Amino acid sequence: MEITRNSRLKDVIKTASGHDIIARLLYSLGMDLDAVRRTPLGLLKIGSLKRLSFGKLSDASVDALIEILNSLKDEDPGEDGTVRHEWWKEAVFYQVYPRSFRDSNADGVGDIPGIIEKLDYIKSLGVDAIWCSPFYDSPNADNGYDIRDYRKIMAEFGTLDDVRRLIDECHARGIRLIIDLVMNHTSDEHEWFRKALAGDEGYMDYYIWKDEPNNWTSFFSGPAWKYFPQTGRYALHLFADKQMDLNWDNPQVRREMYDIADFWLDLGADGFRLDVVSFISKADGLPDGDPTVGKLISFTGIEHYFHGPHLDEYLREFNREVLEPHGAYTVGECPGNGIRMSRMITGDDRGELSQLFSFDHIDNPGKKRFDVYDLDLRKMMPELLRWQTEYSDHCWPTIFFDNHDNPRMCSKIDHAGRYHDQINKLLATILLTMKGTPYIYQGSEIGMTDYPFTDLSQYRDIESLNYFDEQTGKGMTQKEAMQRLLYGSRDHARIPMQWDGTSAAGFSDAEPWIGVNPDHVTVNVADEYFDPDSVLNFYRYMIGLRKDHKKALIYGSFRRIDAGKDVLAFIREANERFTVVVNLTGGTAKRPKGISGDRIISNYSDPGSMLRPYEAEVYFSRI
Ligand code: TEU
Ligand code: CA
């Protein structure tokens, strides 16, 4: 379908790219796609988006948008109602951020032997697999997401033998290990880049160069291009200026990446979390982005690489050459891809990736991570629920609320901290009863919260530090910039794991590389381990429930019960029925009528007549 200014929105959203991009634009403007689907808005022509955007989109932006929509592919994996059974559909994953998990040798930095020390704890949660954030040799411009040598381990973290041992010790406990592979970019200290700078033409072509930069901006502030006097040209870096984007159009680069992946699978890794893998293919000629469209999606230029022209082709090649022969699992980090384009990446018969992470639910419509606001769970639901009902039987969602790139969800919802206990249990309830593969980020299972940062010197993350400089440079007051960091910094997720109530929270015997949250005196593994009412034991119960009732809770149907806007209620059903009821607000709400079965768990002990703030409960019945 050729899209023109006269195409109606309801028709544009029938294509995968039209659906996802319009959804994303509306989301940024504070609206949900359902508005276009269910109201006369759908009859509007795409040319009138300018009006809908309150003037944010100019005529030129609308034309740019139409061009992008026409340039993106539209293929559908189809749907025939059969769900294939796979280990990773039945698994609960646990994400470990090595720098902050456990320091075994008292240098203040977490390490691989530290993870091994805590494997029995991870096992005790009932999880089946671990995703470990990068542990490769790196100068740490971005905590290891800037890799200097893909076959070496960061000295602070240990040795290759430690990683071998980690793999073996995981397997000995029946836990699978997936590792975090960064294939979109390398460190500027990687030998390929150093050879490129030294004038080696072959290695120059491993990276992306331009004589004059285009207008793309970096995720970590400023332009996405850095000038190198050695070559007289600019090199592309979508992230830090020490993270150089690789040229995936060069077959040799792809070969190198496949060899690296082979190396790790041969060593015993069970698969990969693939860092920003959806960004590997950039539009031919690296054209300027439309600043408005880019910013509404996220950053200027992103429309030219978030699902680039060769993405599907390269992923298929990677799959054929490496993943398939090893039977390896993959979860791709795919920011910007909405549900329909994600189906193109994860459909059973597409031969690309097993699963992916999408991010829209992590912030409310119209909000961005650094915005100062309390997240409203009611506004999260339309996006979250779409993945339950519209992703098709040939795709399998991931579900998560926390990771190493976001403040803690319980804090995002309730900065004042009145209801953290209830909210953490509520999130666990949703995470472990919805359809899809749950990912638990270290510390969520004990209810860790954001760090009370008060001074710039307490931050470590390059994104936060660059953001502060850029915003204050543009005239924002220091006070406001600090406030925005407090709401959005990734460092909140990177403070040490809280093992006990001692001074460094049992993370280390030395001064940790980043502050320890004062709340560790009450929020910690040791205190929660034997407390039946703890967040930790709530998680354990929910994980166990999911595993004991696979038919219903993993492969069973998902059906919503209409319960008004303040309450989420749904049924998971196969041979048994689970009914989940959740008050999405901090006020009281009415329990929907006709709920049957035994109330088997809740974040309040006795059932009240009304649902109390953030109350979550699960009912069980045989059918
Ligand atoms: O993150 C990429 C990325 O775009 C995220 O910051 C994303 O925008 C965010 O999670 C949405 O809330 C990956 C890694 O996870 C991150 O730690 C790295 O810094 C980045 O790639 C560069 O490698
Ligand atoms: Ca250490």
Side-chain angles (χ1 to χ4, degrees):
M1 175 181 134
E2 177 75 14
I3 293 166
T4 67
R5 283 186 150 259
N6 286 326
S7 304
R8 295 190 191 280
L9 285 177
K10 71 176 178 44
D11 295 320
V12 175
I13 64 171
K14 285 180 184 151
T15 67
S17 55
H19 179 279
D20 287 5
I21 291 184
I22 299 294
R24 179 70 210 157
L25 294 182
L26 292 174
Y27 206 80
S28 289
L29 296 164
M31 290 176 264
D32 191 85
L33 186 68
D34 285 347
V36 172
R37 289 175 168 175
R38 307 219 173 100
T39 71
L41 275 184
L43 296 174
L44 285 179
K45 293 175 178 167
I46 192 166
S48 50
L49 264 182
K50 184 181 161 187
R51 245 187 314 134
L52 247 187
S53 73
F54 315 108
K56 279 194 188 160
L57 282 166
S58 63
D59 284 324
S61 298
V62 172
D63 287 338
L65 179 67
I66 292 170
E67 201 187 312
I68 300 156
L69 291 175
N70 283 321
S71 74
L72 287 166
K73 268 182 277 181
D74 182 30
E75 296 156 11
D76 200 283
E79 167 160 36
D80 64 10
T82 53
V83 174
R84 287 184 204 162
H85 288 210
E86 308 276 1
W87 71 262
W88 44 267
K89 295 185 179 175
E90 300 174 13
V92 176
F93 277 76
Y94 186 80
Q95 183 192 350
V96 171
Y97 194 70
R99 176 163 292 272
S100 308
F101 196 57
R102 162 74 188 148
D103 169 21
S104 72
N105 61 347
D107 64 355
V109 175
D111 45 55
I112 304 291
I115 304 174
I116 298 173
E117 242 179 68
K118 297 295 185 184
L119 282 179
D120 286 333
Y121 166 74
I122 296 177
K123 178 75 189 170
S124 79
L125 299 172
V127 304
D128 311 274
I130 293 174
W131 149 26
C132 188
S133 279
F135 45 52
Y136 316 93
D137 174 48
S138 161
N140 271 318
D142 185 22
N143 282 2
Y145 282 91
D146 49 322
I147 300 176
R148 185 163 48 201
D149 187 334
Y150 288 85
R151 292 179 178 82
K152 271 204 188 126
I153 307 304
M154 196 186 301
E156 288 172 304
F157 285 1
T159 63
L160 192 61
D161 272 339
D162 290 330
V163 173
R164 279 202 186 96
R165 205 153 57 83
L166 174 66
I167 295 173
D168 292 346
E169 295 285 334
C170 282
H171 290 168
R173 289 168 178 78
I175 296 174
R176 287 183 165 91
L177 178 71
I178 66 162
I179 63 177
D180 203 326
L181 196 57
V182 188
M183 306 200 296
N184 177 70
H185 45 265
T186 72
S187 165
D188 64 347
E189 297 184 25
H190 193 288
E191 76 164 314
W192 302 334
F193 196 76
R194 281 188 286 144
K195 285 185 180 164
L197 286 189
D200 186 322
E201 295 276 327
Y203 284 105
M204 280 272 273
D205 200 35
Y206 272 41
Y207 295 90
I208 300 174
W209 301 90
K210 243 180 169 311
D211 291 333
E212 289 302 325
N214 65 19
N215 70 351
W216 297 3
T217 52
S218 155
F219 276 61
F220 295 162
S221 302
W225 297 89
K226 183 175 175 188
Y227 181 72
F228 287 89
Q230 299 93 320
T231 63
R233 306 177 79 192
Y234 292 81
L236 179 67
H237 63 90
L238 293 178
F239 293 90
D241 65 2
K242 282 177 69 65
Q243 288 169 299
M244 316 319 297
D245 279 62
L246 284 163
N247 173 17
W248 270 70
D249 295 332
N250 179 349
Q252 251 171 292
V253 167
R254 306 206 294 276
R255 188 70 260 159
E256 298 265 18
M257 278 301 148
Y258 303 162
D259 289 347
I260 289 164
D262 261 327
F263 171 84
W264 287 102
L265 293 173
D266 287 342
L267 211 77
D270 296 289
F272 302 107
R273 179 265 187 186
L274 298 168
D275 191 63
V276 287
V277 69
S278 53
F279 294 177
I280 56 177
S281 166
K282 277 85 176 171
D284 292 338
L286 309 167
D288 273 345
D290 181 82
T292 318
V293 172
K295 268 185 218 137
L296 286 173
I297 300 178
S298 67
F299 293 95
T300 305
I302 189 167
E303 68 271 29
H304 296 305
Y305 59 78
F306 82 94
H307 194 122
H310 302 288
L311 175 66
D312 299 286
E313 175 193 330
Y314 296 158
L315 290 179
R316 257 174 233 160
E317 185 182 76
F318 179 38
N319 194 316
R320 204 172 51 235
E321 303 261 321
V322 183
L323 304 171
E324 172 77 46
H326 282 95
Y329 162 82
T330 46
V331 56
E333 189 198 25
C334 298
N337 280 273
I339 192 166
R340 293 281 304 279
M341 297 184 80
S342 296
R343 287 178 56 170
M344 288 161 50
I345 301 177
T346 59
D348 276 345
D349 296 320
R350 298 275 300 170
E352 298 185 24
L353 303 181
S354 317
Q355 295 193 280
L356 56 69
F357 292 121
S358 137
F359 296 92
D360 279 351
H361 67 288
I362 288 297
D363 276 296
N364 274 164
K367 300 293 183 193
K368 290 198 166 143
R369 179 149 46 84
F370 287 110
D371 288 346
V372 175
Y373 79 107
D374 276 351
L375 185 137
D376 186 338
L377 275 172
R378 291 171 296 188
K379 295 185 182 162
M380 179 202 281
M381 288 308 138
E383 173 65 18
L384 200 64
L385 290 166
R386 251 196 288 285
W387 293 82
Q388 295 293 299
T389 54
E390 294 178 25
Y391 199 29
S392 95
D393 293 320
H394 287 189
C395 302
W396 201 253
T398 54
I399 321 167
F400 70 95
F401 297 113
D402 290 318
N403 65 18
H404 65 294
D405 288 335
N406 285 280
R408 295 282 175 180
M409 187 52 80
C410 69
S411 295
K412 287 179 78 140
I413 294 168
D414 174 22
H415 284 90
R418 282 178 69 195
Y419 296 116
H420 279 176
D421 182 68
Q422 289 87 344
I423 293 171
N424 281 314
K425 292 170 180 170
L426 175 158
L427 293 171
T429 305
I430 298 179
L431 186 72
L432 292 152
T433 55
M434 274 192 173
K435 172 179 164 181
T437 304
Y439 271 78
I440 300 167
Y441 180 62
Q442 66 181 45
S444 298
E445 80 281 15
I446 52 170
M448 279 179 63
T449 65
D450 282 359
Y451 184 87
F453 291 104
T454 51
D455 196 272
L456 194 63
S457 65
Q458 296 165 328
Y459 288 98
R460 299 285 176 270
D461 182 20
I462 183 166
E463 183 202 45
S464 295
L465 300 172
N466 286 358
Y467 182 85
F468 184 88
D469 282 351
E470 178 169 70
Q471 297 305 321
T472 52
K474 282 186 189 160
M476 188 184 281
T477 61
Q478 298 212 350
K479 193 170 166 226
E480 187 184 348
M482 282 297 291
Q483 181 75 347
R484 291 177 67 83
L485 285 190
L486 187 61
Y487 274 69
S489 176
R490 306 192 298 182
D491 278 336
H492 286 299
R494 301 175 178 187
I495 55 174
M497 174 72 184
Q498 292 164 201
W499 297 104
D500 61 35
T502 61
S503 66
F507 163 72
S508 174
D509 294 329
E511 167 99 7
W513 67 279
I514 188 170
V516 174
N517 199 324
D519 75 3
H520 76 278
V521 292
T522 52
V523 178
N524 66 64
V525 172
D527 284 358
E528 293 186 36
Y529 207 83
F530 296 107
D531 171 1
D533 292 329
S534 65
V535 174
L536 178 57
N537 281 313
F538 195 93
Y539 262 89
R540 280 195 184 134
Y541 177 88
M542 289 305 303
I543 295 169
L545 189 70
R546 188 177 175 88
K547 309 201 77 69
D548 291 346
H549 301 272
K550 281 191 179 157
K551 268 196 178 158
L553 286 176
I554 290 171
Y555 294 114
S557 60
F558 177 94
R559 184 156 46 92
R560 261 190 95 177
I561 305 172
D562 186 19
K565 69 173 181 14
D566 293 346
V567 177
L568 168 72
F570 60 86
I571 292 178
R572 298 298 313 280
E573 185 175 294
N575 53 332
E576 304 163 322
R577 174 186 297 155
F578 289 88
T579 307
V580 179
V581 178
V582 175
N583 178 0
L584 301 168
T585 75
T588 52
K590 269 204 199 124
R591 188 178 281 105
K593 289 202 186 74
I595 303 292
S596 59
D598 298 331
R599 186 175 181 270
I600 53 170
I601 186 161
S602 163
N603 52 0
Y604 286 83
S605 50
D606 56 314
S609 55
M610 295 282 280
L611 291 171
R612 286 148 293 186
Y614 298 109
E615 184 155 359
E617 46 186 23
V618 180
Y619 294 83
F620 171 76
S621 53
R622 286 178 213 288
I623 48 175

